[in-house]
Amino acid sequence: ASQAKVISPTEMDEEFAEMYLNHFYGLTETIPMTKMKISRDSLKEKIQEMQKFFGLNVTGQLDTSTLEVMHKPRCGVPDVHH
Amino acid sequence: YSTFQGRPVWKKHEITYRINNYTPDMKKEDVDYAIQKAFQVWSDVTPLKFRRVHAGEADIMISFANGAHGDFNPFDGKDGILAHAYEPGPGIGGDAHFDEAETWSKNQQGRNLFLVAVHELGHSLGLGHSNDRKAIMYPNYGYLDPNTFHLSSDDIRGIQSLYGGPEKHQPMPNPDRPKPAVCDPNLSFDAVTTLGDKIIFFKDGVFWWKFPETSKTGISSISSLWPTLPSGIQAAYEIEARKQVFLFKDDKYWLLSNLRLQPNYPKSIYSLGFPKYVKKIDGAVFNPLLYKTYFFVNSWYWRYDERNQRMDPGYPRQITKNFPGIGPKIDAVFYFKRNYYFFQGSTQLQYDVMLHRVTKRLRSSNWFGC
C-alpha cells in the first residue's frame, strides 16, 4: 500500500466512510440497538477490518489510501457476511 | 475466496437464466454474447450447464435497473456500486442486477459488461468476495483486462469447493451441439494455422491442437483460453518470426501474441485494404519465404505485403488460375515446410510452393492419424 498520508477527514469523508462501512462491513449491524450512536471504537474496528481486507496499512484511521479504495467503483455485495 | 454464510449452492447442475431487459449502451446481441460468455467462464470449470430461457421464471434473472428497483439495495447512480447479485436460492436468489446509470460496453470503454457479469454470476453461484486482487471475485472494478482475462486459481478453487470440477469428458461449449469427432470422415475445418510448435484446427467453439511430428493431440474450447474471442473463427495465419497469430471472423480480426489476445483488437479487415464487398475471409496463409500473406475470399485471393503493411497492387486474382488444382473456393489453409495445405470440405491438398502444384491429395483429418 502506498504510504498513506494521515489527513483530518472532512465531515463528508466521514459520512461517506460510515455509509461504506455500514453497507459492506455491517457497521451498524454489530452495534446494540440501544446505542445507535456509532462509537469511535466500532468505527475504528470496521475501518481496520476493511483495511485488512484490501491489504492496506491497518491503521483504523481514514487515511488517503483508505478513502481512495472506498471511492473505487465496485460490486454492491458486502465484503463480509454477518 | 469466500462463500456466503451457510454455503448456499444450487442443488442441480442445469441452471436456467433469463435476460429480462437491455441497456441502451450496447447492441442486444452484444449484451447476449457478453452474458453467454460470462456463464461459459464458470461452466468451463464446473459440471454446471446454463440454459437460457426467454419467458417465465429462471433461476438467475438478469436485469438493468436505476436507483431503487424493488429490492432493498437501491443503486447509487454513476460509479460507486456497479452491480450486485444474490446468493443461490428461490425467488430473488441468484438474480443479478446491473446499474443502468453506468456506461456498459463490450470493450475497455466505460464498464466492461462481460467482466462485471462474470463477477456477479460468481455471487449467483454462491461465491463471496475474495481479497485476491487477481481474482474476478475481488470486489473492486478496474484491475483486470477483458482481453487477457481468465479465472484466477483462487476463483477456480472457490467455485470448485462448491460444485467440483467439470465432468470427465472434455468441456462442451454448446450442449445442444455435441462436439464433432476429429476422425469423422465428413469433418471440415473452419480455419487452420501453425501456432509455435503446434498446428491448430478450428471448428465451431473448439480447436484441436497437434504436434506435427508426434501423434499427441488435444482439444480445447476457444472460450476457455480466450473468453472474449467468438466461436466460428473463419481464417487464421501465423507470422512465426514475430510470434503473431492473426484470427479472422466476418469483418474483424484479432491478434494473439504469445497466446494472449492483444489489446486494441478486434480491428476491421478493411484497414488491411479489402474492398467493402468482402464480408469475410475463407482462408489466410503467410509465406515466410516471400514475407507475404495470401487471403482467400470465395474464388478470389489477395496478397498482403507484411513488410510494407499494405495490399499488393493487381489483386484480387482468381484462385484456380494461379493455384493450379486448388479451388475454386477453400475452407482453410496453412503453411508448413515449404507446402501450403489447402482444406476443401473433407479433402486436403498439399501444394508445393516451389513447384507451384498439388503434390498430394489427403483427407482433412489426415493429421490425426485417422
Side-chain angles (χ1 to χ4, degrees):
Chain A
S2 57
Q3 199 51 46
K5 261 192 343 237
V6 179
I7 56 168
S8 55
T10 64
E11 201 176 317
M12 237 171 88
D13 286 338
E14 284 194 354
E15 255 181 48
F16 181 81
E18 277 186 27
M19 214 174 50
Y20 184 98
L21 293 167
N22 181 42
H23 187 90
F24 298 111
Y25 288 85
L27 172 61
T28 52
E29 280 167 19
T30 52
I31 296 175
M33 285 306 284
T34 50
K35 280 171 41 190
M36 279 315 284
K37 184 98 182 63
I38 297 171
S39 69
R40 286 266 147 226
D41 287 346
S42 44
L43 185 62
K44 182 175 181 181
E45 183 197 319
K46 286 301 172 186
I47 292 174
Q48 285 173 332
E49 193 175 348
M50 174 258 178
Q51 285 168 334
K52 188 161 173 274
F53 183 90
F54 283 101
L56 301 169
N57 275 349
V58 183
T59 61
Q61 304 300 317
L62 274 184
D63 49 44
T64 49
S65 52
T66 302
L67 278 168
E68 194 184 319
V69 170
M70 284 182 173
H71 279 286
K72 281 202 182 293
R74 60 160 292 156
C75 167
V77 173
D79 295 337
V80 293
H81 309 291
H82 292 280
Chain B
Y1 67 88
S2 73
T3 61
F4 288 101
Q5 204 167 17
R7 284 175 73 84
V9 291
W10 296 101
K11 303 286 188 287
K12 56 187 177 175
H13 281 179
E14 188 178 288
I15 297 165
T16 58
Y17 73 93
R18 180 178 162 191
I19 300 175
N20 279 339
N21 62 0
Y22 287 85
T23 169
D25 304 341
M26 294 170 65
K27 285 186 213 154
K28 277 194 179 175
E29 58 267 30
D30 288 342
V31 170
D32 291 347
Y33 184 68
I35 299 294
Q36 184 221 326
K37 281 285 177 192
F39 274 111
Q40 210 159 350
V41 165
W42 295 112
S43 63
D44 277 350
V45 295
T46 62
L48 299 176
K49 301 279 178 281
F50 299 105
R51 187 164 58 83
R52 182 176 180 187
V53 296
H54 294 274
E57 182 75 10
D59 298 312
I60 298 176
M61 303 284 267
I62 291 166
S63 48
F64 293 85
N66 266 304
H69 53 277
D71 59 15
F72 293 102
N73 281 308
F75 283 136
D76 56 357
K78 195 165 175 39
D79 298 331
I81 292 175
L82 306 182
H84 55 221
Y86 293 88
E87 63 205 48
I92 200 173
D95 291 0
H97 303 164
F98 297 83
D99 188 351
E100 181 49 58
E102 312 304 334
T103 302
W104 297 102
S105 80
K106 64 177 183 178
N107 48 41
Q108 286 179 281
Q109 313 303 310
R111 306 293 175 214
N112 183 275
L113 179 61
F114 164 71
L115 280 181
V116 177
V118 175
H119 176 97
E120 298 308 329
L121 294 179
H123 290 316
S124 302
L125 298 178
L127 281 179
H129 282 152
S130 161
N131 58 10
D132 175 350
R133 199 174 285 196
K134 289 193 297 299
I136 190 63
M137 294 317 293
Y138 187 73
N140 284 5
Y141 177 83
Y143 291 86
L144 299 175
D145 177 346
N147 291 319
T148 55
F149 165 74
H150 53 81
L151 286 178
S152 72
S153 50
D154 178 69
D155 296 312
I156 293 172
R157 269 202 310 278
I159 200 71
Q160 290 186 348
S161 78
L162 297 173
Y163 298 100
E167 271 134 13
K168 283 293 160 268
H169 50 52
Q170 290 300 320
M172 296 198 29
N174 190 334
D176 299 324
R177 278 164 61 201
K179 182 171 77 268
V182 74
C183 282
D184 171 354
N186 300 313
L187 181 67
S188 63
F189 294 111
D190 299 332
V192 182
T193 181
T194 51
L195 176 71
D197 57 356
K198 298 180 190 64
I199 305 172
I200 57 175
F201 302 76
F202 289 93
K203 183 71 179 176
D204 297 335
V206 300
F207 66 88
W208 288 271
W209 53 265
K210 171 154 192 338
F211 291 102
E213 321 290 325
T214 72
S215 61
K216 192 161 181 255
T217 67
I219 182 172
S220 188
S221 72
I222 294 174
S223 62
S224 62
L225 257 82
W226 308 295
T228 57
L229 202 61
S231 53
I233 294 297
Q234 293 158 337
Y237 69 92
E238 178 182 39
I239 302 181
E240 193 176 8
R242 296 180 188 170
K243 292 198 179 339
Q244 287 178 333
V245 173
F246 292 90
L247 304 170
F248 292 77
K249 180 175 183 179
D250 298 336
D251 60 353
K252 296 186 188 61
Y253 71 100
W254 291 258
L255 168 60
L256 281 182
S257 185
N258 291 319
L259 284 182
R260 287 186 178 276
L261 272 174
Q262 292 307 294
N264 304 322
Y265 285 84
K267 288 184 178 177
S268 161
I269 60 170
Y270 306 113
S271 64
L272 299 171
F274 285 104
K276 283 290 183 191
Y277 62 80
V278 172
K279 299 300 177 198
K280 71 183 189 69
I281 312 287
D282 296 329
V285 62
F286 172 71
N287 180 325
L289 309 173
L290 302 172
Y291 229 82
K292 309 257 182 171
T293 299
Y294 290 86
F295 291 102
F296 299 88
V297 179
N298 293 326
S299 58
W300 302 87
Y301 73 97
W302 278 258
R303 193 176 71 179
Y304 186 81
D305 185 327
E306 291 287 355
R307 283 201 179 85
N308 299 320
Q309 296 285 293
R310 63 166 183 267
M311 273 314 173
D312 281 341
Y315 289 86
R317 295 179 183 169
Q318 272 197 296
I319 295 173
T320 47
K321 279 207 180 110
N322 294 285
F323 289 91
I326 304 295
K329 207 173 151 11
I330 69 159
D331 294 331
V333 54
F334 76 99
Y335 175 89
F336 183 65
K337 291 188 177 179
R338 295 181 181 276
N339 283 290
Y340 295 136
Y341 291 87
F342 285 100
F343 292 78
Q344 298 174 184
S346 57
T347 303
Q348 183 186 179
L349 299 169
Q350 179 177 287
Y351 183 93
D352 186 308
V353 300
M354 308 304 278
L355 300 175
H356 288 292
R357 62 181 177 77
V358 174
T359 52
K360 213 180 275 184
R361 188 180 184 84
L362 308 157
R363 192 177 294 176
S364 290
S365 53
N366 183 68
W367 290 91
F368 299 96
C370 302

